[in-house]
Amino acid sequence: MEIVIVESPERVSATAAEIIAGLVSEKPNAVLGLCTGSSPKEVYAELVLRHRAGLDFSRVTTFNLDEYVGLPHTHPASYHRQMAEQLFDHVNVTPERVHIPDGMTKDIARTCADYEAAISAAGGIDLQLLGIGENGHIAFNEPTSALESRTRLKTLFARPGLDASLPRHVITMGIGTILDARHCVLIAFGQRKARAVAQMVEGPLTAFVPASALQRHPLTTVIIDEAAASELTLAEQYREIQRLKPDGQRGGT
Ligand code: GLP
């Protein structure tokens, strides 16, 4: 993993947006894996600004990680709505190239299989943006999710902060689906993510901390602020590696 520690949440978002915009400029038909939650909001805001400055999304294909089951796409908590509000309504994506699991489907198994097939048909995901949950989950892969899991139905754990008014069932890409992306970019900021970040980067590879599966991925960039980095044992060494890194080198240690 490449660990990039920056001074503020704003720098986390700006750094991630820079990587995504760089890919889209280099490869206008890039396939992006996108996430929701509070973490990526400013990344999307920055991409909207870059679009206004000329960045073209018309040939980009997107796949979102997950969605609630049974929540209408117009519901404020629906990931369809959040993505529309934060990104898709403000850039020139081609609607047919935008994919989010359909939580309103009558046939969940079929929807999940079709989602995997659509990712393959698009040539796989070039860059997957990820957040991390306080219990170490990625997408909606809760602790004990199979490390080789694919897109499927999940039941969410009850945990502090989980909105009781929202469905407990979701469709989520699996950990195996995420690991197939060619580059994973995980962002986190704030003290409340520090423990999960330390477990992901320095803890054992375990289904109990789903994000630790990224230790097996050949090209993962973890972008965090000082607060989210505060429980890392080797933080100083990660900083030094970034300082010594040859220009343009990206990737694992
Ligand atoms: C939800 C999402 C995840 C996200 C996580 C963290 O579980 N399904 O994709 O990473 O929340 O959310 P936040 O960024 O708001 O802390």
Side-chain angles (χ1 to χ4, degrees):
M1 286 187 199
E2 176 186 34
I3 315 299
V4 182
I5 303 171
V6 295
E7 68 274 15
S8 64
E10 291 74 24
R11 287 303 308 157
V12 171
S13 304
T15 305
E18 177 78 35
I19 294 172
I20 296 170
L23 172 66
V24 173
S25 304
E26 230 171 74
K27 186 178 178 187
N29 62 345
V31 180
L32 301 180
L34 300 177
C35 65
T36 43
S38 54
S39 304
K41 275 189 184 166
E42 294 307 316
V43 178
Y44 297 145
E46 175 63 27
L47 290 177
V48 169
L49 291 180
R50 284 175 186 249
H51 168 65
R52 292 189 183 137
L55 188 65
D56 178 22
F57 286 84
S58 64
R59 294 172 59 206
V60 165
T61 298
T62 68
F63 288 93
N64 264 79
L65 288 170
D66 46 15
E67 179 58 289
Y68 290 100
V69 168
L71 208 57
H73 295 176
T74 51
H75 189 285
S78 139
Y79 290 166
H80 279 76
R81 169 124 173 225
Q82 290 185 18
M83 287 307 301
E85 287 180 351
Q86 291 172 29
L87 183 66
F88 298 145
D89 284 355
H90 311 287
V91 297
N92 65 333
V93 282
T94 305
E96 301 74 54
R97 294 185 193 271
V98 168
H99 305 84
I100 304 176
D102 180 13
M104 296 301 285
T105 180
K106 295 262 178 307
D107 186 344
I108 289 180
R110 175 77 188 269
T111 297
C112 294
D114 288 352
Y115 206 68
E116 289 280 335
I119 295 172
S120 298
I125 292 171
D126 290 308
L127 184 154
Q128 177 65 58
L129 183 64
L130 294 163
I132 183 170
E134 287 173 53
N135 65 0
H137 73 261
I138 44 175
F140 269 132
N141 296 287
E142 296 277 23
T144 72
S145 287
L147 299 180
E148 318 255 319
S149 51
R150 312 300 307 187
T151 303
R152 69 209 184 289
L153 176 70
K154 285 289 287 179
T155 305
L156 298 181
F157 279 18
R159 56 170 171 260
L162 195 71
D163 185 338
S165 70
L166 292 178
R168 287 288 291 279
H169 293 124
V170 296
I171 295 174
T172 182
M173 274 189 209
I175 297 173
T177 320
I178 293 167
L179 292 179
D180 282 348
R182 287 182 273 279
H183 184 187
C184 288
V185 176
L186 186 142
I187 55 171
F189 43 78
Q191 186 64 42
R192 73 186 177 91
K193 298 290 175 76
R195 187 161 157 267
V197 166
Q199 288 178 328
M200 163 180 69
V201 176
E202 297 177 339
L205 170 59
T206 166
F208 201 59
V209 181
S212 69
L214 292 166
Q215 292 174 13
R216 297 195 60 228
H217 191 275
L219 183 54
T220 287
T221 305
V222 174
I223 309 169
I224 48 181
D225 72 345
E226 296 286 350
S230 61
E231 291 191 28
L232 288 170
T233 307
L234 300 181
E236 200 37 59
Q237 302 194 33
Y238 308 138
R239 288 192 189 90
E240 188 187 20
I241 285 169
Q242 288 301 308
R243 281 196 296 272
L244 295 176
K245 197 175 66 166
D247 275 355
Q249 187 206 23
R250 182 143 301 294
T253 49

